């Protein structure tokens, strides 16, 4: 791959975007690794991967692409970042966190949570993923064990989203609500934004690709931080 001017970069971004939407994971990764071989992993991330992921996130918010397409895009990003680490590529990623993720008690819809984990890791966060059907005590215990200041709780439906109240109650009972922030997410929160506050959440993100910005804000915010 020979990369020249800005026009070449724009063409490559269009190609990468198309490969992501067509679920051509191997082709997209090969393209990014070829670019990295020529320009370095930092350029591959800054010039190609990040702007294309931003476009994917914007299109997902506008419901122009599917959840599955967004997930593939996230896995491509993860593949490239893992390749950079394994090859000792000169890639500068912040080391943030850790943060705790999981699906709330009685919720087994894992795809959204897994997408959030992918994009958080791509943004430099250390993620402790507890999986599905996580009890309130398990969330808080894990946050204390790992020193996490943000817990991310996923719920697909209203019936399971209501169970997030118990996570907030657990934090309150242990006197941790000012020290550990609660990020909530899932399809129901897009339909009912007011539910974030009703279940005790400190904030949500419209898409998985926007989750890192939310976690940045909640981690830094403390009790008076933004929560929307």
């Amino acid at each position: 791959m020979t990369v020249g001017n800005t026009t070449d970069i724009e063409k490559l971004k269009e190609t990468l975007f198309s490969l992501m939407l067509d679920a051509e994971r191997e082709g997209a990764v090969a393209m990014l690794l070829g670019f990295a071989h020529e320009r370095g992993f930092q350029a591959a991330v800054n010039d190609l991967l990040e702007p294309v992921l931003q476009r994917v996130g914007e299109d997902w918010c506008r419901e122009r692409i599917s959840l599955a397409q967004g997930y593939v895009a996230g896995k491509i990003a993860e593949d490239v970042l893992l390749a950079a680490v394994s090859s000792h590529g000169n890639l500068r990623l912040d080391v943030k966190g850790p943060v705790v993720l999981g699906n709330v008690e009685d919720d087994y819809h894992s795809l959204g949570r897994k997408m959030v984990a992918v994009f958080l890791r791509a943004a430099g966060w250390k993620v402790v993923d507890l999986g599905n059907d996580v009890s309130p005590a398990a969330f808080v215990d894990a946050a204390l064990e790992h020193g996490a200041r943000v817990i991310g709780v996923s719920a697909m439906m209203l019936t399971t989203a209501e169970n997030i109240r118990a996570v907030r109650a657990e934090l309150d009972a242990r006197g941790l609500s000012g020290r550990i922030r609660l990020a909530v997410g899932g399809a129901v929160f897009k339909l009912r934004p007011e539910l974030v506050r009703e279940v005790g959440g400190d904030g949500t993100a419209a898409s998985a690709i926007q989750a890192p910005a939310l976690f940045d804000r909640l981690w830094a915010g403390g009790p008076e931080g933004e929560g929307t």
Side-chain angles (χ1 to χ4, degrees), residues 104 153-155 160-169 182 184 189 199:
V104 75
V153 184
S154 179
T160 52
E162 294 287 352
N163 294 340
I164 297 175
R165 298 177 189 273
V167 182
R168 170 55 66 193
L182 188 57
V184 298
F189 294 101
V199 300

Side-chain angles (χ1 to χ4, degrees), residues 4-20:
N5 55 29
T6 303
T7 301
D8 294 330
I9 297 292
E10 293 303 317
K11 289 179 179 178
L12 288 173
K13 287 194 289 188
E14 287 297 326
T15 300
L16 179 59
F17 182 73
S18 297
L19 289 170
M20 286 181 172

Side-chain angles (χ1 to χ4, degrees):
M1 177 185 298
T2 301
V3 182
N5 55 29
T6 303
T7 301
D8 294 330
I9 297 292
E10 293 303 317
K11 289 179 179 178
L12 288 173
K13 287 194 289 188
E14 287 297 326
T15 300
L16 179 59
F17 182 73
S18 297
L19 289 170
M20 286 181 172
L21 296 196
D22 292 338
E24 295 286 347
R25 183 172 171 180
E26 290 184 3
V29 172
M31 176 184 168
L32 285 160
L33 293 182
F35 190 95
H37 179 74
E38 185 172 323
R39 294 284 192 92
F41 277 100
Q42 196 69 52
V45 170
N46 293 346
D47 297 343
L48 288 185
L49 186 57
E50 286 186 349
V52 174
L53 287 178
Q54 182 64 38
R55 181 178 173 185
V56 168
E58 290 170 355
D59 280 2
W60 190 83
C61 288
R62 296 184 176 96
E63 299 183 346
R64 294 174 180 169
I65 65 174
S66 69
L67 187 64
Q69 288 171 313
Y71 182 69
V72 170
K75 294 306 290 184
I76 290 167
E78 188 175 43
D79 289 344
V80 172
L81 295 172
L82 288 173
V85 172
S86 64
S87 66
H88 305 289
N90 185 22
L91 182 64
R92 298 184 306 275
L93 289 176
D94 293 332
V95 179
K96 307 174 185 177
V99 294
V100 170
L101 294 185
N103 281 62
V104 75
E105 200 163 27
D106 296 327
D107 194 288
Y108 296 87
H109 299 87
S110 62
L111 180 57
R113 184 198 80 246
K114 289 180 178 179
M115 286 181 63
V116 169
V118 165
F119 285 108
L120 285 173
R121 289 182 177 122
W125 286 93
K126 179 181 178 182
V127 176
V128 179
D129 190 343
L130 302 180
N132 296 327
D133 187 29
V134 182
S135 71
F139 273 118
V140 179
D141 287 346
L144 291 173
E145 177 185 350
H146 295 280
R149 284 161 47 188
V150 182
I151 295 173
V153 184
S154 179
M156 181 75 170
M157 300 175 293
L158 178 61
T159 51
T160 52
E162 294 287 352
N163 294 340
I164 297 175
R165 298 177 189 273
V167 182
R168 170 55 66 193
E170 186 76 15
L171 288 168
D172 288 344
R174 301 198 202 186
L176 297 170
S177 287
R179 292 168 47 196
I180 300 175
R181 310 301 300 280
L182 188 57
V184 298
V188 67
F189 294 101
K190 292 189 68 176
L191 298 173
R192 292 187 53 182
E194 71 280 3
L195 192 62
V196 176
R197 293 301 188 188
E198 290 176 10
V199 300
D202 291 307
T204 191
S207 69
I209 199 171
Q210 293 173 312
L214 171 67
F215 277 64
D216 280 336
R217 188 168 68 244
L218 293 182
W219 183 279
E224 305 301 324
E226 294 254 347
T228 57

